[in-house]
Amino acid sequence: MPTPSAANLFNEPGCAVNQAKGDKQRKVGCGARTLTPGAAAGGCAFDGAKIALQPIADAAHLVHGPIACEGNSWDSRHALSSGPQLFRTGLTTDLSELDIIHGGEKKLYRAIKQIVERFRPPAVFVYVTCVPALIGDDVEAVCTAAAERFATPVIPVVAPGFVGSKSLGNKLAGRVLLERVIGTREPDVPTPCDINLIGEYNVAGELWQVKPLLDRLGIRILASITGDGRYHDVACAHRARVSMVVCSQAMVALARGLQERYDIPFFEGSFYGIGNTGAALRQLARFLTAAGAPADLEARTEALIKAEEARATRALAPYQRALKDKRVLLYTGGVKSWSVISALHELGMTVVGTSVRKSTDDDQARIRELIGEEAMLFGQVPAKEMDRRLRAGEADILMSGGRTQFVALKARVPWLDINQEREDAYAGYGGIVNLARRLHGALTNPVWAEVRRPAPWAATEAPLEAAP
Amino acid sequence: MNGALLATKACAVKPLKVSPALGGALAFLGLDRALPLLHGSQGCTAFAVVLAVRHFREAIPLQTTAMSEINTILGGADNLEQAIENIFKRAAPAVIGICSTALTETRDDDIVGDLKLMRERHPDWDDLAVVYARTPDFLGSLEQGWGAAVEATIRALVPPGSGRKRLRQVNLLTGSHLTPGDVEAIAETITAFGLTPIILPDISGSLDGHVADAHVPTTLGGTTIDAIRRMGHSVLTLAVGDHMRGAAALLEDRCGVPFRVFDRLTGLAAFDGFVAELIAVSGAKAPEHLQRQRSRLVDAMLDSHGTLGNRTLALAGEGDMLVAMGRFVTELGARVAVAVAPCATPALAHVPAERIIVGDLDDLEQAIAAAGTDSIELIVANSHAAEIAHFFDIPLMRAGFPIFDRLGAGHQVTVGYEGSRTLLFALANTFIARGHAPAATAASGATLPPFMGETDHAPASSC
């Protein structure tokens, strides 16, 4: 059961999943759903909070806890920065046994001092992990004292792993931004074309596939929350004219908070696929025009979409034949399933099944409509079952995260990374071409025929068995 | 402790240390049909899995007791029992290797007592081996967790008592610094003397990157429980790595099996010692092919000593890796200007470095900057050091854990006459590829901000 303050996080008018629930179900919470010991997979709340905040590239991200939390995980995500690299530097208080016995507060204070004096960051995010939460370190107080003493914002992120799942951590991080960061700075020059992008983490540089499009329309990303983000910009997010939530239910609460507090409208959209990208650009233009952007913005947007769509279609042509009607099995958290499915359809591919672990009923209906009655919608699939399906030839390719990759590869079935460790960026018009190139490369690689060849001894054994 | 400097800062920057619970889990992965289980929050397992997957490029079976805030306060026995039951039903492993974490160790449940009660409640678990290793994240690094898991395995599964010895059976205790390729090479050498090794843990069977016929939710390959139960009958235990000393001594105490600890098997003298021991225990002559391999290593040393002599290296990694690498390169005339270890261990006394620091990769960076980047010609460390090497424009030879930006980490062989020769050529070729041009000046003009508060911070504990 979540604590009372956390319970508030589970009433989210802006979230479709939440609204679809009954009262009782809502009280149970979402990120805090009970996990099954011995059959759970996935990150903790700390993981989720760090994923959401760490892309703020010029800030220092200090993990207060024993070595496991940062030592096992630092610099493992492909969120990219166009400038500062401090966010990638692993920083941890590395609590020892004695620190835990005596309490970690003093060490934390000294660690903040060390970081501020050495790196001079615009802000320090301090992540509370399970052990300091358990022993009762007053991290809030330490951060307040340190912020005052060192004249630098020091922001506690209280999302220890044991309070819930990764998605709860995302939410807690969103609340930290809303409560403690956004609204603390003012932009030098506000413009009527300022937007917030929320939930785009610039994994593999996807933000940079979208930004040039916006640049050409004169739309400025005032705050990128948080891909390739800067602390100052995020702190100015309250001056944007519209927020776009990019495939992230967990961050809807932040967008809604911005709407309530600062009257910034928001919408949910995606940059995966030609159609989705166009729709997102149109929405942005419409909201901005309503909020005072130049009247010709919508017309320019249409012109840009038309030109880019034509260009993308030309670039996709060489791949189309090989991709046509190929069967994809999609295994992701499910949040972005619908947007990826429509992108795959644009490539002429068939989605034979998709996970809907975190999708809403609406989303599921939407997916069902997209992929047809025959395709499977499933929740968590045990690796064994996935292995069986792939070996039975139910799909030509698996698209999933890194952890499932070996299920496909060991079954000698093509695989493409769609999660955070992916090397290639799939957003915007350039992204769909990348996606087509990658899929084409994976599906047409001659290696599949090679690795499926029977071993020479299998070839000689078989006739022997056949002749009794 | 051999004049090693303990870093005295409150904040670890670019950690070199990983969690002992991860080390323990990796050791358990060397058991056949095993499923390691971290007793902690689900994040403890998720991070460990991701890192291990990136290193080995294999599916890593590893489960969690999924401790929540409230379970932690009330005690974790229920979660542990449910986890074992669920794993038992779904994956049917031969052994579950439990590693504690900082979370459960701070709460400090009586897991051993709890496990006893659980077994009474679950007679159906009778054929399931359950091993519990204490691997709190606040004490030690990879090596300590690995050592604790091996010791726990022996304590749980090797029956005490000396029993009848089998004259051709030896135990091989493999340290965390050995790759699946290393373990296989050592085993082959032992077998060549007509001896049968029981290898604990045997990651060469489970993490060697093979393609199985069907998916299994546990490890496939590794030391079998049966083999572990027979370890007391061996005539000798060969332990590789100082962090395997405790496990070797435990086997001697329990079963009267004498042991020899080899701090490394990389390099001519080191492997000669190992082979001499095999000759003594087997009474056999060294096989022809081994003699030939030795001769080839000697020849390689003659060919490469000119290239390696007087070179200066900087090393970072777990203690026993530093011993193997440091001693090998100094035997060829190179110098180790600085060696950084995540923890103070007895092995550091045998690292032939001019400066030994217990700290993190930032300490390595500062030490290189202090030594002058022109003076360091090669860094040997894990993949996290790539940025540092790039910044200074010094080549990096990847070694240790994790290696995630190169393929084949599990197949690098640096032990034995052949493995030593491969390593030697790799080292020499790195220097040859760089030619004699002075190190690029990109970094010499760059200044690093000084690390603040050398005197300002209370010493961090050694681990």
Side-chain angles (χ1 to χ4, degrees):
Chain A
M1 282 292 285
T3 53
S5 68
N8 291 336
L9 286 169
F10 301 133
N11 186 11
E12 180 42 68
C15 173
V17 190
N18 192 262
Q19 289 310 297
K21 286 179 180 171
D23 271 355
K24 199 171 167 189
Q25 230 183 332
R26 195 172 304 144
K27 262 185 201 149
V28 175
C30 47
R33 72 178 186 284
T34 317
L35 300 159
T36 314
C44 60
F46 155 68
D47 192 3
K50 192 136 176 280
I51 287 165
L53 297 177
Q54 195 175 19
I56 301 177
D58 52 353
H61 299 268
L62 169 61
V63 178
H64 182 42
I67 195 64
C69 310
E70 183 69 348
N72 291 356
S73 75
W74 70 285
D75 201 15
S76 64
R77 293 181 70 86
H78 294 174
L80 304 182
S81 162
S82 56
Q85 296 295 326
L86 181 57
F87 76 118
R88 291 181 52 205
T89 302
L91 302 169
T92 175
T93 47
D94 181 14
L95 294 177
S96 68
E97 189 165 24
L98 278 179
D99 295 328
I100 292 169
I101 292 166
H102 295 300
E105 292 164 3
K106 285 182 180 157
K107 192 174 195 186
L108 174 61
Y109 183 83
R110 289 199 313 270
I112 297 168
K113 177 173 192 280
Q114 182 185 314
I115 288 167
V116 172
E117 287 175 345
R118 168 142 176 218
F119 299 109
R120 307 265 166 221
V124 182
F125 286 92
V126 175
Y127 299 82
V128 182
T129 61
C130 297
V131 169
L134 183 63
I135 64 173
D137 276 0
D138 191 346
V139 174
E140 289 265 353
V142 174
C143 290
T144 307
E148 226 164 80
R149 180 79 171 74
F150 309 125
T152 301
V154 180
I155 300 137
V157 181
V158 185
F162 61 16
V163 301
S165 70
K166 200 144 113 175
S167 130
L168 176 63
N170 278 171
K171 284 195 180 73
L172 291 165
R175 171 179 273 203
V176 165
L177 291 180
L178 192 62
E179 300 288 340
R180 304 207 180 229
V181 179
I182 295 172
T184 60
R185 302 271 178 94
E186 289 298 329
D188 299 335
V189 190
T191 80
C193 294
D194 285 351
I195 65 163
N196 294 326
L197 283 187
I198 298 176
E200 165 54 62
Y201 302 122
N202 198 28
V203 170
E206 286 188 343
L207 179 69
W208 300 331
Q209 289 174 323
V210 174
K211 191 169 177 296
L213 298 171
L214 301 175
D215 287 346
R216 280 161 63 187
L217 295 172
I219 295 174
R220 179 170 76 162
I221 304 172
L222 178 67
S224 175
I225 300 173
T226 54
D228 196 15
R230 301 292 180 275
Y231 183 76
H232 175 82
D233 299 343
V234 175
C236 295
H238 61 300
R239 294 298 178 210
R241 302 300 172 100
V242 58
S243 302
M244 173 174 168
V245 182
V246 186
C247 299
S248 168
Q249 242 126 36
M251 282 304 208
V252 167
L254 173 58
R256 187 179 51 81
L258 289 171
Q259 182 174 42
E260 281 173 3
R261 292 186 189 195
Y262 307 106
D263 210 16
I264 304 171
F266 73 93
F267 69 97
E268 289 176 75
S270 162
F271 290 112
Y272 288 132
I274 293 176
N276 288 332
T277 304
L281 293 175
R282 283 190 187 102
Q283 289 252 52
L284 283 172
R286 199 167 63 237
F287 275 107
L288 287 174
T289 313
D296 68 336
L297 178 60
E298 289 191 73
R300 284 191 287 117
T301 304
E302 288 305 329
L304 177 81
I305 291 171
K306 199 174 163 203
E308 287 294 318
E309 283 187 357
R311 214 158 64 98
T313 309
R314 275 198 305 279
L316 289 175
Y319 307 112
Q320 224 119 36
R321 222 178 65 179
L323 297 185
K324 188 162 168 42
D325 297 330
K326 285 286 185 301
R327 297 160 307 153
V328 183
L329 189 58
L330 196 57
Y331 193 63
T332 72
V335 179
K336 57 193 169 214
S337 292
W338 62 266
S339 60
V340 176
I341 291 169
S342 49
L344 293 171
H345 282 174
E346 286 167 0
L347 299 175
M349 304 178 80
T350 308
V351 177
V352 291
T354 182
S355 56
V356 287
R357 275 179 289 165
K358 299 176 197 163
S359 303
T360 63
D361 291 346
D362 279 359
D363 272 354
Q364 292 195 22
R366 200 166 171 184
I367 290 168
R368 179 57 78 194
E369 201 174 305
L370 279 169
I371 63 178
E373 288 303 318
E374 268 155 51
M376 304 174 289
L377 299 189
F378 46 79
Q380 199 151 338
V381 181
K384 205 169 177 172
E385 170 68 7
M386 180 81 79
D387 178 71
R388 192 193 60 73
R389 288 180 184 282
L390 293 171
R391 282 180 204 259
E394 292 184 13
D396 297 308
I397 186 166
L398 173 72
M399 291 177 76
S400 73
R403 288 216 260 174
T404 336
Q405 70 174 299
F406 301 105
V407 178
L409 296 180
K410 302 268 183 195
R412 302 172 227 226
V413 168
W415 169 80
L416 191 68
D417 199 338
I418 190 73
N419 277 9
Q420 68 275 2
E421 288 128 16
R422 61 187 176 269
E423 303 276 338
D424 223 340
Y426 302 135
Y429 299 107
I432 185 120
V433 181
N434 279 348
L435 180 63
R437 188 185 306 119
R438 281 279 181 160
L439 284 165
H440 183 265
L443 283 163
T444 60
N445 197 315
V447 77
W448 302 115
E450 284 296 311
V451 298
R452 289 171 190 155
R453 283 166 60 93
W457 50 87
T460 53
E461 274 166 14
L464 285 179
E465 275 174 22
Chain B
M1 203 217 65
N2 192 34
L5 292 172
L6 296 181
T8 55
K9 49 195 197 188
C11 179
V13 180
K14 302 178 185 173
L16 176 61
K17 202 194 284 184
V18 295
S19 80
L22 169 55
L26 291 181
F28 284 133
L29 288 171
L31 308 186
D32 186 34
R33 289 180 52 222
L35 216 158
L37 170 66
L38 299 195
H39 188 24
S41 97
Q42 61 168 341
C44 304
T45 293
F47 288 136
V49 167
V50 170
L51 197 58
V53 165
R54 291 176 81 201
H55 178 84
F56 287 106
R57 298 194 191 241
E58 285 294 314
I60 299 292
L62 182 57
Q63 259 303 334
T64 173
T65 56
M67 294 289 286
S68 73
E69 193 170 11
I70 291 168
N71 302 144
T72 305
I73 291 163
L74 299 180
D78 285 352
N79 275 50
L80 187 59
E81 186 167 356
Q82 279 180 48
I84 297 173
E85 179 67 7
N86 280 330
I87 292 170
F88 176 66
K89 281 193 180 144
R90 292 173 192 217
V95 55
I96 296 177
I98 306 164
C99 297
S100 66
T101 61
L103 180 63
T104 53
E105 290 284 357
T106 300
R107 169 67 167 68
D108 202 12
D109 297 337
D110 175 19
I111 303 289
V112 176
D114 288 338
L115 280 171
K116 214 170 262 172
L117 295 175
M118 285 176 212
R119 280 211 170 270
E120 284 169 16
R121 281 194 293 270
H122 293 273
D124 52 327
W125 293 359
D126 277 359
D127 292 331
L128 172 70
V130 177
V131 180
Y132 172 62
R134 302 193 66 164
T135 52
D137 304 301
F138 48 70
L139 213 60
S141 185
L142 188 82
E143 281 183 351
Q144 285 69 30
W146 180 286
V150 176
E151 286 172 38
T153 304
I154 292 169
R155 209 169 275 126
L157 300 177
V158 181
S162 49
R164 180 186 294 179
K165 295 294 177 227
R166 292 168 196 241
L167 293 178
R168 310 213 71 81
Q169 178 182 306
V170 295
N171 299 326
L172 175 67
L173 299 178
T174 52
S176 61
H177 57 312
L178 300 174
T179 64
D182 285 334
V183 174
E184 186 175 69
I186 299 166
E188 274 170 9
T189 306
I190 295 173
T191 312
F193 282 88
L195 300 168
T196 307
I198 296 179
I199 309 165
L200 181 69
D202 183 8
I203 57 172
S204 78
S206 52
L207 292 172
D208 63 333
H210 58 277
V211 179
D213 292 334
H215 180 83
V216 285
T218 61
T219 55
L220 186 63
T223 325
T224 62
I225 304 298
D226 268 358
I228 296 169
R229 295 212 166 101
R230 287 186 273 112
M231 290 180 87
H233 301 295
S234 295
V235 286
L236 178 70
T237 296
L238 303 158
V240 186
D242 193 68
H243 64 292
M244 287 292 98
R245 184 180 296 277
L250 182 63
L251 268 175
E252 184 180 59
D253 282 355
R254 268 178 105 77
C255 313
V257 183
F259 68 91
R260 284 266 335 251
V261 178
F262 298 86
D263 61 355
R264 60 181 175 128
L265 294 182
T266 304
L268 185 69
F271 204 63
D272 278 352
F274 187 72
V275 169
E277 190 68 41
L278 292 178
I279 292 171
V281 68
S282 69
K285 206 169 141 267
E288 289 281 334
H289 74 272
L290 205 62
Q291 298 184 22
R292 190 76 179 184
Q293 285 173 11
R294 185 181 191 278
S295 172
R296 289 183 193 139
L297 174 59
V298 171
D299 191 56
M301 291 166 77
L302 294 169
D303 289 347
S304 60
H305 77 281
T307 309
L308 274 138
N310 290 323
R311 298 287 183 172
T312 308
L313 288 82
L315 315 179
E318 303 268 330
D320 280 320
M321 188 277 266
L322 297 178
V323 170
M325 198 59 83
R327 292 183 75 89
F328 183 55
V329 297
T330 50
E331 281 165 357
L332 284 140
R335 293 169 50 227
V336 177
V338 57
V340 184
C343 285
T345 60
L348 296 191
H350 307 286
V351 178
E354 284 152 32
R355 206 179 152 201
I356 296 175
I357 302 172
V358 175
D360 50 41
L361 289 172
D362 184 63
D363 292 311
L364 176 75
E365 189 171 332
Q366 304 292 325
I368 293 172
T373 53
D374 289 351
S375 69
I376 306 288
E377 293 162 283
L378 180 68
I379 299 170
V380 181
N382 67 26
S383 289
H384 280 307
E387 297 268 320
I388 295 167
H390 181 74
F391 177 79
F392 289 127
D393 192 25
I394 299 171
L396 171 68
M397 174 177 277
R398 286 157 180 82
F401 181 92
I403 297 175
F404 49 72
D405 57 350
R406 289 291 184 274
L407 293 176
H411 308 295
Q412 284 183 13
V413 180
T414 59
V415 297
Y417 297 130
E418 274 198 309
S420 302
R421 186 180 65 157
T422 309
L423 174 61
L424 191 51
F425 287 152
L427 285 163
N429 285 336
T430 307
F431 293 123
I432 291 168
R434 294 283 283 189
H436 294 285
T441 50
S444 55
T447 51
L448 283 172
F451 204 90
M452 299 303 294
E454 291 277 330
T455 55
D456 204 0
H457 306 302
S461 80
S462 62
C463 252

